[in-house]
Amino acid sequence: MTLRIAVAGASGYAGGEVLRLLLNHPGVLDGSIEIGALTAGGSAGTTLAAHHPNLLPLADRVLGETSPETLAGHDVVFLGLPHGHSATLAEQLPPSTLIIDCGADFRLNDSTAWEKFYGSPHAGTWPYGMPELPGARDKLRSATRIAVPGCYPTGTSLALAPAVAAGIIEPRITIVAVTGASGAGRSLRTDLLGAEVMGSARAYGVGGVHRHTPEITQNLQALTKQPVSVSFTPILAPMARGILATCVAPTTATAAEARDIYLAAYADEPFVHVLPEGQLPQTSAVVGSNAVHLSVHVDASAGTLVVVSAIDNLTKGTAGGAIQSMNIALGLPETAGLSTVGLAP
Amino acid sequence: MTLRIAVAGASGYAGGEVLRLLLNHPGVLDGSIEIGALTAGGSAGTTLAAHHPNLLPLADRVLGETSPETLAGHDVVFLGLPHGHSATLAEQLPPSTLIIDCGADFRLNDSTAWEKFYGSPHAGTWPYGMPELPGARDKLRSATRIAVPGCYPTGTSLALAPAVAAGIIEPRITIVAVTGASGAGRSLRTDLLGAEVMGSARAYGVGGVHRHTPEITQNLQALTKQPVSVSFTPILAPMARGILATCVAPTTATAAEARDIYLAAYADEPFVHVLPEGQLPQTSAVVGSNAVHLSVHVDASAGTLVVVSAIDNLTKGTAGGAIQSMNIALGLPETAGLSTVGLAP
Amino acid sequence: MTLRIAVAGASGYAGGEVLRLLLNHPGVLDGSIEIGALTAGGSAGTTLAAHHPNLLPLADRVLGETSPETLAGHDVVFLGLPHGHSATLAEQLPPSTLIIDCGADFRLNDSTAWEKFYGSPHAGTWPYGMPELPGARDKLRSATRIAVPGCYPTGTSLALAPAVAAGIIEPRITIVAVTGASGAGRSLRTDLLGAEVMGSARAYGVGGVHRHTPEITQNLQALTKQPVSVSFTPILAPMARGILATCVAPTTATAAEARDIYLAAYADEPFVHVLPEGQLPQTSAVVGSNAVHLSVHVDASAGTLVVVSAIDNLTKGTAGGAIQSMNIALGLPETAGLSTVGLAP
Amino acid sequence: MTLRIAVAGASGYAGGEVLRLLLNHPGVLDGSIEIGALTAGGSAGTTLAAHHPNLLPLADRVLGETSPETLAGHDVVFLGLPHGHSATLAEQLPPSTLIIDCGADFRLNDSTAWEKFYGSPHAGTWPYGMPELPGARDKLRSATRIAVPGCYPTGTSLALAPAVAAGIIEPRITIVAVTGASGAGRSLRTDLLGAEVMGSARAYGVGGVHRHTPEITQNLQALTKQPVSVSFTPILAPMARGILATCVAPTTATAAEARDIYLAAYADEPFVHVLPEGQLPQTSAVVGSNAVHLSVHVDASAGTLVVVSAIDNLTKGTAGGAIQSMNIALGLPETAGLSTVGLAP
């Protein structure tokens, strides 16, 4: 029996990346998975080639309107929609359809935090698509609704979870994360123009106001009884893809102790890789892949643990994490269609 | 009377930037300053055009050997040499010559810290070329030896000094600073090749081992009796110039209090600019200029002060700071030849 | 007496660059020139800092509406408006006002060519602001209306004019020119987003349809009686500024003959520089400056002359050329406020 | 039976890209192909992770010395060596070993052209690994020696071959091709440093002196009796990967005629794709893939055919072409392990 997959928001970066990965998925290659409806908002009626000239095998596909009708009759529906659009749509699809939401609508447990950061009523909470967090993988098995984590929460939660869970840091955490411009989506904003972005680094969402802050805190708070505080600063760097996150917190552990905890925590994880000592993460090494590269350091003089992580924001940070969760929910091999080999240089 | 200026290490980035700025200095434009000997190590005998095709008016100048002989007879000598080479050379020049060292040799007071981070005997300490630090400007007047600060210490010390001096933060400080590739100098290293650097962000010198760490600590420790700790992580981003530093420390101050302290501290400084609320630093806005752009934030939820600064690492971070100090030492207007107007886009 | 200068379209890249250069103009520095009204379309009412954070000395200026009223009372008015807007506005300003149009409206002589490429009625022809072309400088003296050349026509006409005028090439010319993203202006288009532009080169306007084609042809046709044909292809490269143009045409001249013609043609030009043999143009060497770097080659095997030129599209290619023309029209030194020193690296 | 593959020069970009593609090859995934010896010159003894941190599955592999001994016992040997090293090594390997040389040694037929451009004795000529050229595919079947084409010859020969073969152009051809920095290999040269490359475009090898010129000419001359001349100019742009080539020649054909010829020529080619009218090639759409994107234009006013092509210089331009040829020589499906889906953004 063939599984049919639809992608809503196929003209955006998240939708395009889901399709890029699906085209290399063994299920699509052997015909057991079929790429069905591709839909969009304002771009409905155009071909996919107009938005993603890299997706040659689907170049001539015409985008439909994003609606319950066009998405009906699919076993899996990926949503790459602006925040706030997923809830209404999801209600109109059958409960048995596996809906995988790349947006934020169903990520947060705390409706107060949701309303504070997103300014709209809270839609609810779905199983969270970060299988590497303690307990998360089980909740994804046979799930029919999945909330894909944000890109920053992916890179930073995986960088910090072992230390928080092991109690080797005081959970007053400082994070500075550098992202490529695709992290902002395909939004028409003057400050995202190439001429503005190239040759320049700039901060944004400084002072605890970035929407990913409560999501990071939620992920880490679940691992400890101590109150977690997160000071998070995102930086836009002149590159298309990638997140490099530097995560710092007070510790009294030694470098060897910290490293051992990370090696143990991720020993069985197919995508999270603690680099050999002396090697440091670089985003080019993970671009296009679902890999997470981590390095673990202790600054004995400052009394801090420093963990640096690199991910591709569109792959492991969005669409790759989404496919990984889909694989788990469908009972497929978790790594199907996902590579640990990045594109470099 | 004409003042003669020599630049040793003219083939490197620091030397080239000193020359770029001198070519626009009013003293050079009106003939009261003359650009004399340009010297190099392995590149002696080549023309300046081979190294700095942007410096058209000096294109045909032939580089001499860096030696006491070629540098003799100049009133001012800029040194843009690898660390460890300045001390020997300086001893062989007359005490009356104004020597401005863009290298690290004379920046640190603490010989233990020097030896730990640089692995060689400590040469001494010269007046420190960051006039915006409390008390520093006076020590530069009539100085004949000046140590130009490191690029990271410039961007970060100016971002933190007012908060430390005012006592509004607990001085356990986390700094993550993003730099352009020129910060590494013109060194032939595989990891600095364009194909490696472009499209990628990576950390280096993580865990308290970067040589600028003790210099930042020294600058801030001078402002408080509390012990200062600095956890510093440098990040290489795909751009040629610029440093964007994010500086975080625990605070109980309000955003308004913090902002007022910064506005007061820098009210009379010609190059340090606290941005209007809502505007955030971006390196493109300061590229090529001697300006420092700062934004000041309090993350009330995390209980932290966050200050973001942008500088051009080669201008304010090296050669611009050097010219600024030269102006002070020579009794010229401090801003002569230095712009607050960056090149953007 | 103080000269007052207004800039209409101050929120765009051309307007911003005019202001960046004016801030370093000796007339502004000594007070004989005053920067008056800054105006915009949709951005009227905002501060200049919101658009050009690099222009610190003018940060608090509020943009007025672009209208005859706000522009009245100025001696010089720069127009950085979308094509088609300059003619109406110019008619409403006094004939004695020096109007310098950075747009295309008054560049072409041939109304048929205008209508074919711009699709609107031809407004007329103004003296052309490329003083290095034969006869052009004289027409700019005491002019009160000046059409600033397009960026591609600047880099390519100066690369080809000596060869065409000397008759050493068969004027069937192929040009491929690589530009930075600021060449497209500050337009909100998906294909100009940083994530699209970085890491990618792409052609546009291929096949003789780019609007600068008739302008290049017009400049060169004026220099020869043979019919000139130009095959022009523009390429967008991942950089903010700069144009590197490769210009190729059949020749029987030797390399030495060709080089001598160029050296003679530009011997007295302050901004056009024929590089020494063996040195090739690179845009970083001219960024921020008004310099034009040229290299002249003969491919004896293919029987072609190849001239490569580098300019900054916003400086010599737009605002620098505009200031240079203003200086001539006002009887100021032609190079006032304009540098031949580029920002590199 | 398992096929064993060795890669000599595994620390370089070509060798790394061969390995990146092999890791995704169905033969490697199903165990019928085994990645054997990885060797290097100066880097022998280090791990692959030190050179290619993106190749996680092979991270711990230690590089051997490049020698006949380490390469013995393999069925296929890829050579990614500096020019001039392949011939000696090849002689010492069994005739039955399939040797695929990513270097230039065996590409040219004409020993005079070889000696002129490479300055060393000509080693000979091997079957040429560009199966899309007329007659080339058959020569690769059962070949045991294959010369992988140069990156520029790949992008440009495929862009021009149909027009030359059909006789619709006068074969006096002008080519300007923009490349990313990986095209220069992993050479330690000052002009390839990130700080030099970023924010800048520059020409190199201008005037018919680039070594790929005779190879392009050879490919096209084989298709016509008219004498072919090629004026080729390479441009370095600030990106890691990709070649965008603009190819221009006189024509009297119409756009429709030209387009039809290209559509027919490449109708059955799995990797060469003539874009729909109105869509233009961009390198980001082919990065990481083996696809060639072409657009075909006629500039009726200039009387020229303009063909623009985009490839990834490391994939289709080197390692992808090498794998494609290997597949043919081994009788595997030609597209095995090679994607037409690029990484964008």
Side-chain angles (χ1 to χ4, degrees):
Chain A
M1 205 198 80
T2 305
L3 206 81
R4 299 195 71 225
I5 298 184
V7 177
S11 61
Y13 290 145
E17 183 76 353
V18 167
L19 290 168
R20 185 181 75 82
L21 295 171
L22 284 178
L23 284 170
N24 200 37
H25 194 285
V28 171
L29 297 177
D30 71 16
S32 62
I33 291 177
E34 185 190 325
I35 299 176
L38 309 183
T39 74
S43 297
T46 61
T47 63
L48 194 68
H51 308 284
H52 301 296
N54 57 318
L55 303 178
L56 264 194
L58 301 170
D60 298 332
R61 287 289 195 92
V62 176
L63 303 181
E65 287 279 355
T66 298
S67 70
E69 291 71 31
T70 53
L71 298 173
H74 293 83
D75 304 286
V76 182
V77 175
F78 287 92
L79 304 180
L81 307 176
H83 301 319
H85 287 65
S86 301
T88 322
L89 194 62
E91 279 171 16
Q92 298 174 273
L93 293 173
S96 62
T97 305
L98 171 55
I99 305 180
I100 301 177
D101 184 16
C102 297
D105 294 21
F106 297 96
R107 291 176 190 159
L108 295 187
N109 300 321
D110 179 348
S111 58
T112 309
W114 172 270
E115 281 157 25
K116 177 179 168 195
F117 280 87
Y118 290 87
S120 59
H122 188 218
T125 313
W126 286 358
Y128 191 67
M130 198 183 297
E132 296 87 355
L133 288 183
R137 190 171 271 115
D138 280 344
K139 293 186 189 151
L140 294 169
R141 297 192 212 284
S142 308
T144 58
R145 297 289 185 272
I146 294 174
V148 178
C151 51
Y152 286 122
T154 299
T156 57
S157 301
L158 295 175
L160 286 159
V164 173
I168 58 164
I169 58 171
E170 200 181 324
R172 294 179 295 106
I173 297 163
T174 301
I175 300 171
V176 179
V178 174
T179 189
S182 64
R186 222 164 191 170
S187 333
L188 283 181
R189 282 166 32 194
T190 300
D191 63 344
L192 295 177
L193 287 175
E196 312 279 326
V197 168
M198 288 185 287
S200 191
R202 68 176 165 85
Y204 67 102
V206 185
V209 301
H210 192 282
R211 289 172 166 185
H212 286 177
T213 310
E215 189 180 340
I216 301 168
T217 307
Q218 168 178 300
N219 290 343
L220 300 177
Q221 189 63 74
L223 306 173
T224 180
K225 289 181 177 162
Q226 291 184 63
V228 171
S229 83
V230 171
S231 177
F232 171 57
T233 305
I235 307 279
L236 178 62
M239 54 194 194
R241 286 178 178 237
I243 290 179
L244 188 85
T246 303
C247 307
V248 184
T251 194
T252 55
T254 66
E257 287 164 357
R259 205 175 145 73
D260 284 349
I261 284 167
Y262 277 76
L263 286 170
Y266 292 127
D268 298 329
E269 287 298 338
F271 294 115
V272 187
H273 184 69
V274 180
L275 295 174
E277 279 187 85
Q279 198 182 329
L280 287 162
Q282 59 191 76
T283 58
S284 61
V286 298
V287 157
S289 87
N290 211 48
V292 182
H293 286 195
L294 296 178
S295 69
V296 181
H297 314 261
V298 167
D299 180 341
S301 173
T304 52
L305 176 79
V306 184
V307 183
V308 181
S309 71
I311 63 166
D312 183 321
N313 59 304
L314 289 182
T315 319
K316 179 58 178 165
T318 306
I323 301 277
Q324 185 182 355
S325 295
M326 175 195 82
N327 288 339
I328 295 171
L330 296 177
L332 300 172
E334 185 171 334
T335 61
L338 297 170
S339 177
T340 58
V341 177
L343 182 81
Chain B
M1 207 199 77
T2 303
L3 206 81
R4 298 195 72 225
I5 297 184
V7 177
S11 60
Y13 291 145
E17 183 76 354
V18 166
L19 290 169
R20 186 181 75 83
L21 295 170
L22 284 177
L23 285 169
N24 200 37
H25 194 285
V28 171
L29 297 176
D30 71 17
S32 62
I33 291 177
E34 185 190 324
I35 298 177
L38 309 184
T39 75
S43 297
T46 60
T47 62
L48 194 68
H51 308 284
H52 302 297
N54 57 319
L55 303 179
L56 263 195
L58 301 170
D60 299 332
R61 287 288 195 93
V62 176
L63 302 182
E65 286 280 353
T66 297
S67 71
E69 291 72 32
T70 53
L71 298 172
H74 292 84
D75 304 286
V76 182
V77 175
F78 286 92
L79 303 181
L81 306 176
H83 300 320
H85 288 64
S86 300
T88 321
L89 195 63
E91 279 170 16
Q92 299 174 273
L93 293 173
S96 62
T97 304
L98 172 54
I99 304 180
I100 300 176
D101 184 14
C102 297
D105 294 21
F106 298 97
R107 290 175 189 160
L108 294 187
N109 300 322
D110 179 348
S111 58
T112 309
W114 173 269
E115 282 157 26
K116 176 179 168 194
F117 280 88
Y118 289 89
S120 60
H122 188 218
T125 313
W126 286 357
Y128 190 67
M130 199 183 296
E132 296 87 354
L133 288 183
R137 191 172 269 115
D138 280 344
K139 293 185 189 151
L140 294 170
R141 296 191 213 283
S142 309
T144 59
R145 297 289 185 273
I146 295 173
V148 177
C151 51
Y152 286 122
T154 300
T156 58
S157 301
L158 296 175
L160 286 160
V164 173
I168 59 164
I169 57 170
E170 200 181 324
R172 295 180 294 104
I173 296 163
T174 301
I175 301 172
V176 179
V178 175
T179 189
S182 64
R186 222 166 191 169
S187 332
L188 283 181
R189 281 166 34 195
T190 301
D191 63 344
L192 295 177
L193 288 175
E196 310 280 325
V197 168
M198 289 184 287
S200 192
R202 68 175 165 88
Y204 67 101
V206 184
V209 302
H210 192 282
R211 289 172 166 184
H212 286 177
T213 310
E215 188 181 341
I216 300 169
T217 308
Q218 169 179 298
N219 290 344
L220 300 177
Q221 188 64 75
L223 306 173
T224 180
K225 290 185 177 159
Q226 291 184 63
V228 171
S229 83
V230 171
S231 177
F232 171 57
T233 305
I235 308 279
L236 178 62
M239 55 194 194
R241 288 178 177 238
I243 290 179
L244 188 85
T246 303
C247 308
V248 184
T251 193
T252 55
T254 67
E257 286 164 358
R259 203 174 146 74
D260 284 349
I261 285 166
Y262 276 76
L263 287 170
Y266 292 128
D268 298 329
E269 286 299 337
F271 294 115
V272 188
H273 184 69
V274 181
L275 295 173
E277 280 187 85
Q279 199 182 329
L280 286 162
Q282 58 191 78
T283 59
S284 62
V286 298
V287 157
S289 87
N290 211 47
V292 183
H293 286 195
L294 297 177
S295 69
V296 181
H297 314 261
V298 167
D299 180 341
S301 172
T304 52
L305 176 79
V306 184
V307 182
V308 181
S309 72
I311 63 166
D312 183 322
N313 59 305
L314 290 181
T315 320
K316 179 59 178 168
T318 307
I323 301 277
Q324 183 182 357
S325 295
M326 176 195 82
N327 288 338
I328 296 172
L330 296 177
L332 300 172
E334 185 171 333
T335 61
L338 298 170
S339 177
T340 57
V341 177
L343 182 80
Chain C
M1 205 199 78
T2 304
L3 206 81
R4 298 195 71 225
I5 298 183
V7 177
S11 60
Y13 290 146
E17 184 76 352
V18 167
L19 290 169
R20 185 181 75 83
L21 295 170
L22 284 178
L23 284 169
N24 199 38
H25 194 286
V28 171
L29 296 177
D30 71 16
S32 63
I33 292 177
E34 185 190 324
I35 299 176
L38 309 183
T39 74
S43 297
T46 61
T47 63
L48 194 69
H51 309 284
H52 301 296
N54 57 319
L55 304 178
L56 263 195
L58 301 170
D60 298 333
R61 287 287 196 94
V62 177
L63 303 181
E65 287 279 354
T66 298
S67 71
E69 291 72 31
T70 53
L71 298 172
H74 293 83
D75 303 287
V76 182
V77 175
F78 287 92
L79 303 181
L81 306 176
H83 300 320
H85 287 64
S86 301
T88 322
L89 194 62
E91 280 171 15
Q92 298 174 275
L93 293 173
S96 62
T97 304
L98 172 55
I99 305 181
I100 301 177
D101 184 15
C102 297
D105 294 21
F106 297 97
R107 291 176 189 160
L108 295 186
N109 300 322
D110 179 347
S111 58
T112 309
W114 172 270
E115 282 158 25
K116 176 180 168 195
F117 280 87
Y118 290 88
S120 60
H122 188 218
T125 314
W126 286 358
Y128 191 66
M130 199 184 298
E132 296 88 353
L133 289 183
R137 189 172 270 114
D138 280 345
K139 292 186 190 150
L140 294 169
R141 297 192 212 285
S142 308
T144 58
R145 296 290 185 273
I146 295 174
V148 178
C151 50
Y152 286 122
T154 299
T156 59
S157 301
L158 295 175
L160 286 159
V164 173
I168 59 164
I169 58 170
E170 200 181 322
R172 296 180 292 106
I173 296 163
T174 301
I175 300 172
V176 179
V178 174
T179 190
S182 64
R186 221 165 193 169
S187 333
L188 284 181
R189 282 167 32 196
T190 300
D191 63 344
L192 295 177
L193 288 176
E196 311 279 324
V197 168
M198 288 185 288
S200 192
R202 66 175 166 87
Y204 68 100
V206 184
V209 302
H210 192 281
R211 289 173 165 183
H212 286 177
T213 309
E215 188 181 341
I216 300 168
T217 308
Q218 168 178 299
N219 291 343
L220 300 177
Q221 189 62 76
L223 306 173
T224 181
K225 289 182 177 161
Q226 291 184 62
V228 171
S229 83
V230 171
S231 177
F232 171 57
T233 305
I235 307 279
L236 178 63
M239 54 195 194
R241 288 178 177 237
I243 289 179
L244 189 85
T246 302
C247 307
V248 183
T251 193
T252 55
T254 66
E257 287 164 357
R259 203 175 147 73
D260 284 350
I261 285 166
Y262 277 77
L263 286 170
Y266 292 128
D268 297 329
E269 286 299 338
F271 294 115
V272 187
H273 183 70
V274 181
L275 295 174
E277 280 188 83
Q279 198 182 328
L280 287 162
Q282 58 192 77
T283 59
S284 61
V286 298
V287 156
S289 87
N290 210 48
V292 182
H293 286 195
L294 297 178
S295 68
V296 181
H297 314 260
V298 167
D299 180 341
S301 173
T304 52
L305 176 80
V306 184
V307 183
V308 181
S309 71
I311 63 166
D312 183 323
N313 59 305
L314 290 181
T315 319
K316 179 58 178 165
T318 307
I323 301 276
Q324 185 182 355
S325 295
M326 175 195 83
N327 288 338
I328 296 171
L330 296 177
L332 300 173
E334 185 172 331
T335 61
L338 297 170
S339 177
T340 58
V341 177
L343 182 80
Chain D
M1 208 198 77
T2 304
L3 206 81
R4 297 195 71 225
I5 298 184
V7 177
S11 60
Y13 291 145
E17 183 76 353
V18 166
L19 291 169
R20 185 181 76 82
L21 295 170
L22 284 178
L23 284 170
N24 199 37
H25 194 286
V28 171
L29 297 177
D30 72 15
S32 63
I33 292 177
E34 184 190 326
I35 299 177
L38 309 183
T39 74
S43 298
T46 61
T47 62
L48 195 68
H51 308 283
H52 301 296
N54 57 317
L55 304 178
L56 263 194
L58 301 169
D60 298 332
R61 287 287 195 94
V62 176
L63 302 181
E65 286 280 354
T66 298
S67 72
E69 291 71 32
T70 53
L71 298 173
H74 292 84
D75 304 286
V76 183
V77 175
F78 288 92
L79 303 180
L81 306 176
H83 300 320
H85 288 63
S86 301
T88 322
L89 194 62
E91 280 170 16
Q92 300 174 271
L93 293 173
S96 63
T97 304
L98 172 55
I99 305 180
I100 301 176
D101 184 15
C102 297
D105 294 20
F106 298 96
R107 291 174 190 161
L108 295 187
N109 300 321
D110 179 347
S111 58
T112 309
W114 172 270
E115 282 158 25
K116 176 178 168 195
F117 281 88
Y118 290 89
S120 61
H122 187 218
T125 314
W126 286 356
Y128 191 66
M130 200 184 295
E132 296 87 353
L133 289 182
R137 189 172 272 114
D138 280 345
K139 293 185 190 151
L140 295 170
R141 294 192 214 283
S142 308
T144 59
R145 297 290 185 271
I146 295 173
V148 178
C151 51
Y152 287 122
T154 300
T156 59
S157 301
L158 296 175
L160 287 160
V164 173
I168 59 164
I169 57 171
E170 200 181 324
R172 295 180 293 105
I173 297 163
T174 301
I175 300 172
V176 178
V178 175
T179 189
S182 64
R186 221 166 191 169
S187 333
L188 283 181
R189 282 166 34 195
T190 301
D191 63 345
L192 295 177
L193 288 176
E196 310 281 324
V197 169
M198 288 184 286
S200 192
R202 67 176 166 86
Y204 67 102
V206 184
V209 302
H210 192 282
R211 289 173 165 183
H212 286 177
T213 310
E215 189 180 341
I216 300 169
T217 308
Q218 169 178 298
N219 290 344
L220 300 177
Q221 188 65 73
L223 305 173
T224 181
K225 290 183 177 161
Q226 291 184 65
V228 171
S229 83
V230 171
S231 177
F232 170 56
T233 305
I235 308 279
L236 178 63
M239 54 195 194
R241 288 179 176 237
I243 290 179
L244 188 86
T246 303
C247 307
V248 184
T251 194
T252 55
T254 66
E257 287 163 358
R259 204 175 146 73
D260 284 349
I261 284 166
Y262 276 76
L263 286 170
Y266 292 129
D268 297 329
E269 287 299 339
F271 294 116
V272 187
H273 183 70
V274 181
L275 295 174
E277 280 188 84
Q279 198 183 328
L280 287 162
Q282 58 191 75
T283 59
S284 62
V286 298
V287 157
S289 87
N290 210 48
V292 182
H293 286 194
L294 297 177
S295 68
V296 181
H297 314 261
V298 167
D299 180 341
S301 174
T304 53
L305 176 78
V306 184
V307 183
V308 182
S309 72
I311 63 165
D312 183 321
N313 59 306
L314 290 181
T315 318
K316 180 59 179 166
T318 307
I323 301 275
Q324 184 182 356
S325 296
M326 176 195 82
N327 288 338
I328 295 171
L330 296 177
L332 300 173
E334 185 171 332
T335 61
L338 298 170
S339 177
T340 58
V341 177
L343 182 80

